[in-house]
């Protein structure tokens, strides 16, 4: 490895739905984190890893910082804020189409306590008139000591190359933390449950997207080209279970089909996906269940 090899950890924080996961996927060039138009899609920190000849960038996706209403929300906000310690750079992302709000104020309070360099990313600029950018920059520029203010479109990639070169400049000399071909720190099992959860988010609304969890029970290679996956979708109430199964099982069938097609594409095998739905009353507030499901900051 060259002596000048650079590496570092860069976290992306912001309110829910601003486009953090979209940016990570855009930079890594693969789906390492699921995306949806619902708030609070990301629930864990996820490392997206970009390695080239002279550097390794570890981008940390985080849950959107919001006012928690459950123990799960407490966990999500805690893990996001915890990433602010011990990183080489912080990217604070805001949505160009949303005004400055209490959520941003809360995040800025945290950002003003840390020493790491911080960039302000103004995302979704494809949705605004270029002239509107000035007033957005004006609103934020003095709220924190930003080293750079970068307007981007995470969705269409606009200005993302420029952002990447600004990030690279900030990486210190350091080792390779991950193998060259590793794109994420998360396991296949984790990604499978997330892809299934993404399809649930896509097809449900109101409280359901937030009150479900997906557990992969078994993953079994049944032949060279075939894999059998059994997963359970956890809901909080019997009525939600009914909606998720749908009339004559149609909803569950749609979710299963879409998840299967994407998983086959990712894993490169034929997949037999069996989905079950189970009620676990108030799981988002039960510490023992949260720990069992992997929401444990310790
Ligand atoms: N038009 C437009 N839409 C975007 C852009 N970036 C993200 N989106 C959309 O915004 C929505 C939220 O994107 P995510 O990447 O899931 O947002 P997030 O910040 O990770 O959200 P949480 O995980 O809930 O905190 C999705 O519908 C994206 O397609 C962008 O640059 N332009
Ligand atoms: Mg996200």
């Amino acid at each position: 490895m060259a002596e000048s090899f650079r590496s570092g950890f860069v976290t992306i924080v912001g309110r829910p739905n601003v486009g953090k996961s979209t940016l990570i996927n855009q930079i890594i060039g693969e789906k390492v984190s699921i995306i949806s138009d619902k708030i609070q899609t990301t629930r864990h920190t996820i490392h997206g890893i970009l390695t080239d000849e002279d550097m390794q960038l570890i981008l940390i996706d985080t849950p959107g910082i919001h006012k928690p209403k459950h123990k799960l929300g407490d966990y999500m906000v805690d893990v996001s804020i915890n990433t602010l310690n011990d990183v080489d750079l912080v990217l604070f992302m805001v949505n160009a189409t949303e005004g400055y709000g209490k959520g941003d104020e809360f995040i800025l309070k945290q950002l003003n306590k840390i020493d790491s360099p911080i960039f302000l990313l103004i995302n979704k600029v494809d949705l605004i008139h270029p002239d509107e950018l000035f007033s957005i920059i004006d609103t934020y520029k003095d709220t924190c000591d930003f080293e750079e203010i970068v307007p981007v479109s995470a969705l269409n990639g606009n200005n993302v190359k420029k952002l990447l070169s600004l990030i690279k400049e900030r990486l210190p000399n350091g080792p390779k933390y991950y193998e060259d071909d590793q794109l994420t720190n998360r396991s296949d099992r984790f990604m499978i449950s997330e892809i299934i959860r993404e399809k649930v988010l896509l097809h449900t609304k109101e409280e359901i997207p937030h009150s479900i969890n997906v557990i992969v029970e078994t993953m079994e290679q049944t032949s060279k080209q075939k894999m059998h996956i059994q997963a359970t979708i956890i809901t909080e109430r019997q009525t939600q279970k009914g909606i998720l199964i749908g009339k004559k099982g149609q909803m569950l069938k749609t979710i299963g089909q879409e998840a299967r097609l994407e998983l086959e594409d990712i894993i490169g095998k034929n997949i037999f996906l069996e989905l079950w739905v189970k009620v676990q009353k108030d799981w988002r507030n039960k510490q023992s269940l949260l720990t069992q499901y992997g929401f444990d900051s310790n």
Side-chain angles (χ1 to χ4, degrees):
M1 204 184 302
E3 255 179 41
S4 58
F5 196 83
R6 289 160 169 241
S7 62
F9 292 81
V10 176
T11 187
I12 308 189
V13 296
R15 284 156 64 181
N17 219 37
V18 295
K20 301 177 292 298
S21 304
T22 306
L23 180 69
I24 301 244
N25 291 346
Q26 177 71 251
I27 290 178
I28 304 301
E30 294 275 345
K31 184 160 168 179
V32 295
S33 192
I34 61 164
I35 289 169
S36 88
D37 60 356
K38 312 286 191 307
I39 56 167
Q40 296 165 32
T41 297
T42 307
R43 289 174 167 173
H44 296 271
T45 58
I46 299 168
H47 291 184
I49 305 155
L50 185 70
T51 308
D52 66 25
E53 271 160 25
D54 52 9
M55 67 109 225
Q56 182 167 74
L57 165 66
I58 296 133
L59 278 169
I60 308 175
D61 194 10
T62 64
I65 297 175
H66 63 285
K67 201 169 176 192
K69 295 196 185 114
H70 305 87
K71 280 203 170 82
L72 173 63
D74 292 336
Y75 165 87
M76 288 161 61
V77 174
D78 283 354
V79 294
S80 293
I81 290 174
N82 283 341
T83 65
L84 296 175
N85 309 310
D86 296 331
V87 283
D88 299 289
L89 175 68
V90 173
L91 307 177
F92 170 42
M93 182 182 271
V94 298
N95 178 343
T97 68
E98 273 176 1
Y100 176 84
K102 278 224 163 68
D104 293 316
E105 210 170 286
F106 175 78
I107 298 167
L108 283 160
K109 211 184 250 173
Q110 311 300 319
L111 296 182
N112 278 305
K113 288 187 209 161
I114 61 170
D115 294 326
S116 319
I118 303 168
F119 290 0
L120 174 69
L121 306 188
I122 302 171
N123 189 31
K124 309 199 188 184
V125 292
D126 54 291
L127 297 177
I128 60 164
H129 188 277
D131 289 350
E132 291 176 63
L133 202 52
F134 298 109
S135 77
I136 301 171
I137 293 175
D138 219 40
T139 306
Y140 283 95
K141 71 178 179 358
D142 298 323
T143 55
C144 192
D145 186 13
F146 297 118
E147 289 211 355
E148 301 281 351
I149 296 182
V150 193
V152 291
S153 170
L155 190 66
N156 65 25
N158 211 340
N159 218 25
V160 170
K161 252 197 183 145
K162 167 79 183 159
L163 168 67
L164 195 53
S165 72
L166 292 169
I167 294 173
K168 283 183 182 177
E169 283 171 19
R170 300 299 195 288
L171 295 184
N173 285 346
K176 245 181 217 174
Y177 294 94
Y178 290 105
E179 297 293 328
D180 285 1
D181 58 355
Q182 201 172 339
L183 299 179
T184 173
N185 62 334
R186 291 290 179 176
S187 63
D188 288 349
R189 182 179 283 261
F190 175 83
M191 277 314 292
I192 292 167
S193 70
E194 287 288 90
I195 300 280
I196 298 168
R197 194 165 63 83
E198 186 186 60
K199 305 312 167 206
V200 178
L201 297 191
L202 190 67
H203 290 286
T204 58
K205 49 188 188 206
E206 286 153 19
E207 197 50 23
I208 296 182
H210 309 297
S211 51
I212 66 115
N213 195 34
V214 177
I215 311 292
V216 174
E217 313 280 358
T218 62
M219 296 161 55
E220 194 191 343
Q221 181 122 1
T222 44
S223 74
K224 209 172 171 200
Q225 266 316 309
K226 285 190 184 142
M227 196 171 193
H228 182 188
I229 299 171
Q230 289 177 304
T232 307
I233 303 172
I234 310 285
T235 67
E236 285 190 327
R237 286 195 295 273
Q238 199 61 36
T239 46
Q240 295 170 341
K241 178 174 170 176
I243 294 169
L244 269 171
I245 293 173
K247 268 195 196 126
K248 295 188 178 160
Q250 195 52 48
M251 174 68 106
L252 198 60
K253 201 169 161 191
T254 304
I255 290 166
Q257 267 170 355
E258 287 183 12
R260 177 178 59 78
L261 286 175
E262 188 165 340
L263 290 171
E264 285 182 340
D265 202 36
I266 295 173
I267 298 172
K269 289 190 171 57
N270 292 327
I271 291 185
F272 175 47
L273 177 62
E274 245 180 292
L275 288 181
W276 304 91
V277 185
K278 184 171 142 187
V279 180
Q280 280 280 13
K281 237 179 134 234
D282 207 24
W283 69 267
R284 283 183 292 175
N285 260 323
K286 290 191 176 140
Q287 191 53 53
S288 60
L289 283 176
L290 288 172
T291 306
Q292 190 185 320
Y293 296 159
F295 301 102
D296 192 350
S297 350
N298 306 314

